[in-house]
Amino acid sequence: MSFDLPVTAAKSGKTDAILDWLQMISGVALIIFVFMHMTLVSSVLINPGIMDAIAHTYEANYMAQVGGPLLFLLFLFHFYLAARKIPFRLEGQKTIWAHAKMLNHRDTWLWIVQAASAMIILIMGSIHMWAVLSDLPITAARSAARMQSGPWVYFYLLLAPLVVLHVVAGLYRIAVKWGVAKDYSREKLNKIAIGLGIAFIVIGLATIVRFMTLAV
Amino acid sequence: MGRQLKFKIFRFNPQNPESVPRMEVFSLDETDSMTLFIALNRIREEQDGSLQFEFCCRAGICGSCAMVINGRPGLACHTKTKDLPDEITLTPLPVFELVGDLSVDTGSWFREMYNKVESWVHTDKVFDPNAIEDPMDNAIAEEIYELDRCVECGSCVAACGTARLRDDFMGATALNRLGRFVIDPRDKRTDEQYFEVIGSDEGIFGCMGLLACEDVCPKNLPLMNQLSYLRRKMGVVALKQIFKK
Ligand code: HEM
Ligand code: SF4
Ligand code: FES
């Protein structure tokens, strides 16, 4: 009987399934990291002393020295996984761009925003991590000094909103792909994502302004 | 009443070596309850007899009249002109092979899809024409019926960014079709056998969650829920296989 005949498998193996799991898990880990990171750095808004104390705790426990490079590996790992989906050839880029323009569909545009912001974050995120981790310890004064020198403020004014955008889009995407949100809760999820996005962009910008005004 | 509609329609006949792809403009006065089915037929009768497009049931049942309407795939017979602006752009569905003008060959695509997902109940039970049909739990029957409402118009595939980027991606309608057998108690295929068919980037793991399928499906099939259900189910199958070893 046909049901125990070998199925005409287009392609077998578990690789794609595992990579999809890992993509989701790396995404969730990065979402948690970014939200925690931005919240902790924003403690400078209350008082630079608090930020120094938090940073000091992290360094005393080697979480910055070990965690930092580990995070960089996670960042590269996530890039490796997600890049499987990005069209790197011009032909593919033209196709998806024309498709998005034709459809004019929110979640299709959102994916383009996510893929495009990803490429910028890959470069700027690496620069940011290098700049901070090669100049330990982390203190409010050092961050303020960096922010006030050269083009760094523009660098962060671009990076912070882009990361928030990418992360919030990722959160939305994971929730709809894995069924955390169902069709009836999709618009609610969308509102939560927009709310989170606005909140963290405001926190990020406020932190940048605080660093700009901190006496060094 | 009395709107003058401007139709910009894609024209190209691949059979004719002289034909070049182009957009042609037609004007038509809008009438009451006009659908694109009515409009296209009037254009063909009154203005250009060579215009190619497909229709059959004109009631949203056969799925043959799907086309891209102002950028969005949808059924022409189900679309009222009063819901559209004065200017209406019609192009054929992408992904599928063009027959001519607005007509595409969805039939061959779907035929291949049936073969790929083996779109039939797999059972070793010998069919007895004289026996009474096995009863099925009503809730399950309704759940299957909900997924069986697909009219195979191809809109979800044409709207899918993933399908546009990689032509081996099966698309929402195929995944939905397989999902229909997953919940059918008569089908004796195991989860591992289903995984063989859709457990890859050609199947469920290729889906990037763009959800255009969900948003364009003219029959409002629960594609978003169905795709996430299959992703979780197939994801678990893969994990089980690894930890069993
Ligand atoms: C701070 C760093 C980053 C964070 C927090 C982050 C977070 C996320 C999250 C949560 C997702 C959703 C995953 C999913 O749909 O399964 C995602 C998707 C994605 N990320 Fe990132 N990401 C970061 C950096 C990058 C970088 C550097 C790249 C690569 C250039 C990248 C490329 C992508 C792409 C293309 C997707 C879409 C994948 C898909 O739809 O299947 N991300 N990211
Ligand atoms: S799932 Fe919806 S959009 Fe896709 S082929 Fe079926 S009816 Fe058409
Ligand atoms: S003609 Fe049958 S669905 Fe439109």
Side-chain angles (χ1 to χ4, degrees):
Chain A
M1 294 289 118
S2 52
F3 84 91
D4 50 27
L5 289 174
V7 280
T8 49
K11 182 176 151 197
S12 63
K14 300 174 288 288
T15 320
D16 292 343
I18 298 310
L19 293 180
D20 200 51
W21 272 114
L22 291 174
Q23 180 181 320
M24 184 267 276
I25 293 168
S26 71
V28 171
L30 284 167
I31 293 172
I32 295 173
F33 166 76
V34 166
F35 286 168
M36 269 180 56
H37 173 54
M38 291 187 73
T39 309
L40 292 179
V41 176
S42 74
S43 64
V44 73
L45 290 170
I46 308 172
N47 185 331
I50 300 180
M51 176 182 156
D52 288 347
I54 295 172
H56 181 74
T57 317
Y58 269 70
E59 276 151 30
N61 295 309
Y62 293 97
M63 277 166 79
Q65 297 86 330
V66 180
L70 277 182
L71 185 88
F72 189 61
L73 285 181
L74 176 65
F75 178 83
L76 291 181
F77 185 55
H78 170 78
F79 167 64
Y80 161 73
L81 292 169
R84 296 175 305 137
K85 312 281 179 169
I86 301 182
F88 282 101
R89 291 178 52 189
L90 184 65
E91 192 195 347
Q93 290 162 5
K94 276 186 183 159
T95 304
I96 193 76
W97 183 255
H99 178 69
K101 274 208 312 205
M102 174 193 98
L103 263 190
N104 204 8
H105 170 251
R106 185 189 73 199
D107 289 5
T108 301
W109 277 123
L110 190 64
W111 188 82
I112 294 200
V113 168
Q114 200 174 8
S117 62
M119 302 316 295
I120 305 173
I121 295 169
L122 176 68
I123 297 165
M124 295 184 83
S126 305
I127 296 174
H128 164 67
M129 281 188 251
W130 177 259
V132 173
L133 294 175
S134 65
D135 189 24
L136 291 175
I138 298 170
T139 65
R142 276 172 186 250
S143 299
R146 186 172 329 107
M147 196 70 78
Q148 289 171 30
S149 67
W152 279 103
V153 60
Y154 301 107
F155 178 90
Y156 283 111
L157 280 175
L158 184 61
L159 179 61
L162 272 183
V163 167
V164 174
L165 209 62
H166 184 90
V167 166
V168 169
L171 179 90
Y172 175 85
R173 196 75 69 196
I174 288 175
V176 297
K177 269 163 76 174
W178 290 87
V180 182
K182 299 278 188 279
D183 48 11
Y184 54 82
S185 50
R186 180 166 159 215
E187 280 322 299
K188 196 168 124 203
L189 170 72
N190 182 43
K191 287 204 185 99
I192 294 173
I194 291 176
L196 269 175
I198 292 176
F200 274 96
I201 287 180
V202 169
I203 289 176
L205 294 181
T207 307
I208 294 172
V209 170
R210 184 72 192 104
F211 280 133
M212 284 307 284
T213 52
L214 207 67
V216 275
Chain B
M1 269 280 46
R3 266 205 309 173
Q4 197 66 24
L5 299 175
K6 189 169 151 196
F7 288 87
K8 289 165 89 179
I9 299 180
F10 176 85
R11 301 300 304 271
F12 177 52
N13 181 359
Q15 310 293 343
N16 177 358
E18 245 113 84
S19 172
V20 277
R22 66 201 180 277
M23 298 300 288
E24 268 178 20
V25 179
F26 299 91
S27 287
L28 209 60
D29 52 309
E30 191 174 32
T31 51
D32 254 344
S33 324
M34 185 185 239
T35 63
L36 288 179
F37 163 77
I38 295 171
L40 283 167
N41 273 293
R42 268 189 58 197
I43 291 175
R44 182 158 64 188
E45 274 162 31
E46 299 165 13
Q47 303 183 33
D48 188 338
S50 71
L51 183 63
Q52 297 184 63
F53 53 86
E54 265 173 68
F55 280 97
C56 184
C57 72
R58 46 126 188 84
I61 298 165
C62 72
S64 58
C65 66
M67 56 185 67
V68 179
I69 306 158
N70 284 346
R72 292 280 176 121
L75 296 178
C77 73
H78 238 203
T79 306
K80 292 212 172 77
T81 52
K82 74 169 166 50
D83 300 328
L84 297 170
D86 296 350
E87 206 174 290
I88 300 168
T89 303
L90 302 176
T91 52
L93 290 186
V95 178
F96 303 97
E97 195 184 327
L98 184 74
V99 176
D101 300 340
L102 299 174
S103 168
V104 293
D105 176 13
T106 47
S108 305
W109 191 96
F110 276 91
R111 171 98 228 140
E112 201 177 307
M113 183 275 268
Y114 306 151
N115 291 335
K116 210 162 181 174
V117 308
E118 304 194 3
S119 180
W120 56 85
V121 170
H122 291 50
T123 180
D124 52 1
K125 212 173 144 189
V126 182
F127 178 66
D128 175 1
N130 298 316
I132 314 174
E133 241 184 288
D134 283 337
M136 186 188 281
D137 182 65
N138 199 43
I140 295 181
E142 275 178 9
E143 222 179 301
I144 295 173
Y145 179 70
E146 175 70 3
L147 307 180
D148 259 346
R149 290 188 305 109
C150 170
V151 297
E152 306 190 347
C153 64
S155 294
C156 54
V157 183
C160 174
T162 310
R164 297 292 300 269
L165 281 176
R166 42 184 305 172
D167 50 14
D168 59 356
F169 181 61
M170 294 163 89
T173 177
L175 294 164
N176 174 68
R177 176 64 55 84
L178 190 94
R180 171 238 173 284
F181 292 103
V182 171
I183 58 172
D184 191 327
R186 294 167 302 176
D187 198 308
K188 299 287 182 262
R189 276 180 280 185
T190 62
D191 287 349
E192 286 71 24
Q193 282 173 306
Y194 291 126
F195 185 89
E196 289 286 315
V197 185
I198 60 163
S200 69
D201 276 355
E202 287 175 24
I204 189 61
F205 299 113
C207 165
M208 304 196 292
L210 276 63
L211 294 184
C213 56
E214 165 93 4
D215 293 336
V216 302
C217 175
K219 306 307 283 185
N220 293 317
L221 262 78
L223 297 173
M224 168 182 166
N225 295 350
Q226 185 65 5
L227 292 173
S228 61
Y229 163 73
L230 290 172
R231 178 173 243 117
R232 291 193 306 273
K233 187 159 180 89
M234 293 301 127
V236 168
V237 172
L239 291 184
K240 274 192 189 149
Q241 287 182 356
I242 287 172
F243 289 114
K244 246 196 272 170
K245 276 196 202 141

